[in-house]
Amino acid sequence: MAYDQSNIFAKILRGEIPCDKVYEDEHVLAFRDINPQTPTHVLVIPKGAYESFDDFSSQASAEEIAGFVRAAGQIAREAGAVEAGYRILANNGPDALQEVPHFHLHIFAGKPLGRMIKPPEK
Ligand code: 5GP
């Protein structure tokens, strides 16, 4: 599938719509989620046009990948989330209900986060 240049995060990257920015460098932009699920809910995105984690992990350069991982760790540290703990998550594709087709990592923090996946209903 070709990268959709009209997705909302592509518009944020182009400066066409605003975001509450928390971090930016050559390869990475991070901003607060518009509908936060936790007191701290940050989205970390690569500046390159990658539609998913699958796309990013297979197509991005080593420099982009290393920069992205380093930035995500730094953002969590700067949010003061390390001691109490935090969760990082990336939804990839339909079964994961990925809404925005530009790869993004969620950083959740600021309260106890519960189990990672709901146990199946009996
Ligand atoms: P996904 O389900 O794709 O992993 O998550 C997409 C996330 O993007 C959701 O948590 C949603 O609240 C967030 N989101 C959608 N549109 C916008 C927007 O225009 N600005 C910001 N900051 N977040 C957005």
Side-chain angles (χ1 to χ4, degrees):
M1 203 171 83
Y3 178 82
D4 174 9
Q5 294 288 350
S6 70
N7 81 74
I8 201 86
F9 294 169
K11 290 180 181 172
I12 287 175
L13 281 168
R14 292 195 296 267
E16 292 166 12
I17 61 168
C19 71
D20 185 359
K21 181 166 77 176
V22 299
Y23 178 92
E24 182 169 17
D25 67 22
E26 184 187 355
H27 294 301
V28 176
L29 180 68
F31 48 89
R32 297 190 190 283
D33 196 290
I34 205 167
N35 183 24
Q37 304 300 309
T38 49
T40 297
H41 184 176
V42 173
L43 300 171
V44 187
I45 70 173
K47 288 188 171 175
Y50 302 104
E51 68 181 16
S52 65
F53 177 73
D54 182 63
D55 189 18
F56 183 70
S57 62
S58 60
Q59 303 301 321
S61 68
E63 191 189 348
E64 287 174 295
I65 292 171
F68 186 86
V69 173
R70 293 266 190 216
Q74 184 177 331
I75 292 158
R77 280 191 293 279
E78 285 175 1
V82 173
E83 194 176 337
Y86 64 93
R87 178 168 294 151
I88 56 175
L89 177 147
N91 293 315
N92 190 103
D95 274 0
L97 303 179
Q98 180 179 355
E99 284 173 26
V100 180
H102 182 109
F103 170 49
H104 49 284
L105 199 66
H106 296 257
I107 299 178
F108 299 107
K111 68 171 194 178
L113 298 167
R115 296 177 72 92
M116 186 170 62
I117 291 188
K118 227 168 38 173
E121 312 252 336
K122 292 212 172 131

